């Protein structure tokens, strides 16, 4: 394994890359959608609590495992294993995460392709290509194939360039652009009639729903998906961080960015729905609940943009560009998991490994596209509802039960000498040992029953 490893060149490089992985369609589409269908602010409140109390500790376990191992997920987990059984267990957990990342990418690339196609529509209209504009926003096998392929090629293009020149450089370019677009869109939507009603619906919690078990399951699932847990991605990103960095604080910063962007996305989408309502678009489903999921993003919002006239073309373009960028900084992290494994464990050259693995995942996406009615949901459920919580829980078990406490402390101390006397060190090791595995298992069992 004589491959020289890539690394992030700076703290901000890691923060942008990890936040780029975390912030994606989950934040800008999933979170507002879940909020809309789970009683508004009650969901936001529970989400914030779970993100910091359960997802952040699990996230810390994953990035610390990676920084300690300085290698892909399998090698990192095996480095802390002492017995043969632990090493086998390390393989199962690490490789399971890699498979999970690949499966997520196979369906995520299709959704991201839809975002791209909706970004192309306003451009086509501006150029007067009305037929093409119609084609790109209507479901068809050809449309889905074309945009999935385009999106996956973009992902492969960036990952072929490596950690510093690919992941870091592009995350540093795309993340500020994405945040800028988000803020501009919020400001614009706030100036429109109906927005204040939406803000109220978003921020006024129906406290009676806070303990609803279904809401808890959705909020935890959302938090895990959003922090890219249980996929090997944060282990590999952690392995590219310098030993000089204070992991406790950069982990907290990434979580904070992720949660804040989800919150901001809600502040854009929910008010935008009420603006759409003020313009005569139906935003409630027949059962009285707010429209969510695909209807929200592909019907309600485009109707809103259409109703705005000329400026709607620019706003629609900006919105779907924002979605595409957010998806891209996430998809590159999903591809990096399997690629780093192939490069480090099987000595395959990075460009070759990226192209081969990227095309293999694309082939799976093509199969999904061809059987979209049942496969899209199936692959999403297997990977996000089963794979992610199980692997994330097992990573906590690794950090809490297999990793020697003194080795763990020595690792965190690098870049954070005073950590031993901090609140973090008093709480986190117990948390990761007992609270996280039990809480994740409980929520997981409830979700499958
Ligand atoms: N965190 C991403 C989002 O919120 O859209 C999704 C994601 C990225 C999941 C990377 C898994 C992963 F490995």
């Amino acid at each position: 394994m004589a491959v020289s490893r890539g690394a992030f060149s700076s703290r901000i490089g890691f923060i942008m890359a990890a936040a780029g992985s975390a912030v994606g369609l989950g934040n800008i589409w999933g979170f507002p959608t879940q909020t809309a269908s789970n009683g508004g602010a009650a969901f936001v409140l529970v989400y914030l609590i779970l993100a910091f109390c359960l997802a952040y500790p699990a996230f810390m376990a994953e990035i610390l495992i990676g920084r300690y191992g300085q290698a892909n997920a399998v090698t990192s987990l095996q480095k802390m294993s002492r017995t043969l059984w632990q090493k086998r267990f390390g393989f199962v957990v690490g490789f399971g995460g890699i498979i999970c990342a690949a499966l997520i990418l196979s369906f995520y690339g299709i959704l991201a392709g839809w975002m791209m196609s909706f970004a192309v529509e306003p451009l086509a209209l501006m150029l007067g290509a009305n037929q093409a504009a119609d084609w790109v926003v209507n479901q068809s096998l050809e449309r889905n194939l074309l945009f999935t392929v385009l999106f996956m090629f973009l992902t492969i293009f960036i990952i072929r360039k490596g950690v510093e020149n690919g992941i870091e450089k592009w995350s540093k370019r795309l993340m500020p652009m994405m945040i800028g677009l988000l803020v501009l869109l919020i400001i614009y939507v706030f100036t429109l009639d109906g927005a204040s009603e939406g803000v109220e619906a978003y921020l006024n919690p129906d406290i009676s729903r806070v303990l609803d078990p279904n809401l808890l399951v959705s909020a935890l699932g959302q938090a895990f998906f959003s922090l890219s847990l249980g996929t090997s991605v944060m282990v590999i990103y952690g392995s590219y961080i310098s030993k000089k960095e204070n992991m406790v604080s950069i982990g907290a910063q990434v979580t904070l960015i992720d949660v804040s962007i989800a919150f901001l996305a809600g502040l854009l989408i929910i008010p935008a729905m009420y603006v759409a309502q003020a313009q005569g678009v139906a935003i409630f489903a027949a059962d009285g609940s707010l429209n969510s999921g695909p209807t929200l993003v592909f019907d309600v919002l485009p109707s809103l943009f259409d109703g705005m006239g000329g400026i709607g073309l620019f706003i629609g373009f900006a919105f779907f560009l924002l979605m595409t960028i957010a998806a891209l900084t996430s998809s590159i992290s999903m591809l990096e998991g399997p690629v780093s494994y192939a490069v480090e464990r099987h000595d395959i050259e990075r460009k070759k490994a990226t192209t081969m693995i990227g095309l293999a995942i694309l082939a799976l996406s093509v199969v999904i596209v061809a059987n979209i009615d049942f496969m899209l949901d199936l692959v999403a459920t297997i990977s996000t509802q089963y794979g992610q919580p199980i692997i994330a829980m097992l990573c906590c078990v690794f950090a809490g039960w297999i990793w020697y406490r003194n080795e763990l402390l020595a690792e965190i101390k690098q870049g954070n000498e005073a950590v031993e006397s901090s609140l973090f060190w008093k709480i986190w090791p117990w948390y990761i040992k007992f609270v996280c595995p039990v809480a994740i298992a409980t929520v997981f069992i409830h979700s499958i029953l």
Side-chain angles (χ1 to χ4, degrees):
M1 212 193 300
V3 188
S4 78
R5 302 193 80 237
F8 293 122
S9 67
S10 61
R11 174 180 313 168
I12 190 72
F14 167 75
I15 292 177
M16 286 295 128
S21 168
V23 175
L25 298 179
N27 301 59
I28 302 174
W29 181 3
F31 178 78
T33 288
Q34 298 258 21
T35 305
S37 50
N38 278 298
F43 181 83
V44 179
L45 194 67
V46 174
Y47 177 78
L48 292 178
I49 295 171
L50 291 182
F52 282 106
C53 296
L54 279 176
Y56 167 66
F59 173 74
M60 284 307 298
E62 295 195 12
I63 56 173
L64 281 166
I65 290 171
R67 198 181 66 159
Y68 170 78
Q70 294 286 299
N72 65 85
V74 172
T75 309
S76 291
L77 287 165
Q78 289 188 333
K79 244 181 212 168
M80 60 185 58
S81 310
R82 286 169 302 277
T83 66
L84 180 63
W85 280 105
Q86 288 177 354
K87 284 200 193 311
R88 288 186 178 154
F89 181 41
F91 178 82
V92 171
V93 176
F95 198 70
I98 288 167
I99 296 292
C100 198
L103 285 179
I104 295 178
L105 181 53
S106 71
F107 80 82
Y108 201 86
I110 301 170
L111 308 187
W114 293 347
M115 300 301 163
M116 266 178 114
S117 67
F118 271 74
V120 167
E121 185 214 28
L123 294 181
L125 287 174
M126 282 178 216
L127 296 172
N130 293 7
Q131 245 181 347
D134 221 37
W135 185 78
V136 291
V137 293
N138 278 309
Q139 274 289 356
S140 71
L141 180 67
E142 296 74 18
R143 190 277 312 249
N144 288 344
L145 284 177
L146 174 68
F147 284 96
T148 305
V149 168
L150 280 177
F151 183 81
M152 289 295 280
F153 277 8
L154 272 181
T155 305
I156 293 173
F157 167 78
I158 295 178
I159 289 299
R160 272 172 63 98
K161 295 197 172 299
V163 182
E164 202 181 328
N165 287 326
I167 301 173
E168 179 171 349
K169 191 160 143 191
W170 281 95
S171 302
K172 281 201 312 216
R173 282 179 185 163
L174 296 174
M175 284 299 284
M177 235 171 111
M178 200 258 322
I179 295 173
L181 275 174
L182 181 59
V183 172
L184 285 178
L185 283 168
I186 293 175
I187 295 174
Y188 179 69
V189 165
F190 271 35
T191 62
L192 304 175
D193 282 348
S196 55
E197 206 186 323
V199 175
E200 200 166 308
Y202 183 48
L203 297 181
N204 209 351
D206 171 2
I207 294 293
S208 65
R209 293 204 57 182
V210 163
L211 292 178
D212 173 356
N214 293 328
L215 187 148
L216 287 170
V217 170
S218 308
L220 192 68
Q222 175 64 30
F224 271 62
F225 183 71
S226 193
L227 276 174
S228 314
L229 298 178
T231 59
S232 80
V233 161
M234 289 304 171
V235 177
I236 190 69
Y237 273 19
S239 80
Y240 297 141
I241 312 177
S242 148
K243 293 271 186 188
K244 292 194 210 93
E245 298 299 346
N246 178 336
M247 300 297 277
V248 178
S249 77
I250 54 180
Q253 286 172 47
V254 172
T255 310
L256 200 63
I257 295 177
D258 183 43
V259 168
S260 311
I261 293 191
F263 182 77
L264 283 179
L267 216 45
L268 168 66
I269 306 248
I270 311 272
M273 290 179 80
Y274 282 82
V275 171
Q277 187 188 35
Q279 298 185 359
V281 179
I283 65 167
F284 291 98
D287 64 359
S289 63
L290 267 177
N291 270 327
S292 55
T295 322
L296 164 60
V297 173
F298 300 120
D299 289 339
V300 175
L301 296 179
S303 307
L304 167 67
F305 305 143
D306 283 350
M308 289 175 173
I311 190 156
L313 291 181
F314 291 98
I315 302 291
F317 172 68
F319 176 75
F320 286 107
L321 180 66
L322 163 81
M323 289 283 209
T324 308
I325 295 174
L328 188 58
T329 53
S330 296
S331 66
I332 58 177
S333 72
M334 296 174 210
L335 185 54
E336 180 63 14
V339 166
S340 63
Y341 175 81
V343 169
E344 294 177 2
R345 301 276 295 202
H346 297 288
D347 251 339
I348 307 177
E349 192 261 328
R350 170 176 266 276
K351 285 194 165 49
K352 195 168 155 198
T354 309
T355 309
M356 275 167 33
I357 295 173
L359 290 180
I361 296 174
L362 177 57
L364 179 57
S365 305
V366 170
V367 175
I368 299 176
V369 164
N371 301 283
I372 202 142
D373 288 341
F374 82 99
M375 275 195 80
L376 189 64
D377 258 5
L378 180 72
V379 178
T381 306
I382 293 174
S383 53
T384 62
Q385 220 169 310
Y386 293 84
Q388 279 193 285
I390 294 176
I391 305 283
M393 182 179 72
L394 296 178
C395 281
C396 293
V397 169
F398 243 97
W401 295 87
I402 295 180
W403 203 351
Y404 278 153
R405 181 73 80 97
N406 55 346
E407 281 178 5
L408 174 54
L409 178 60
E411 179 56 44
I412 306 191
K413 265 187 158 175
Q414 301 194 52
N416 189 358
E417 265 305 314
V419 75
E420 205 171 347
S421 52
S422 70
L423 189 63
F424 180 85
W425 184 250
K426 288 196 180 78
I427 299 174
W428 183 76
W430 293 102
Y431 227 85
I432 214 73
K433 200 165 183 161
F434 300 106
V435 182
C436 287
V438 172
I440 299 170
T442 312
V443 172
F444 174 66
I445 290 166
H446 181 275
S447 77
I448 55 173
L449 287 183

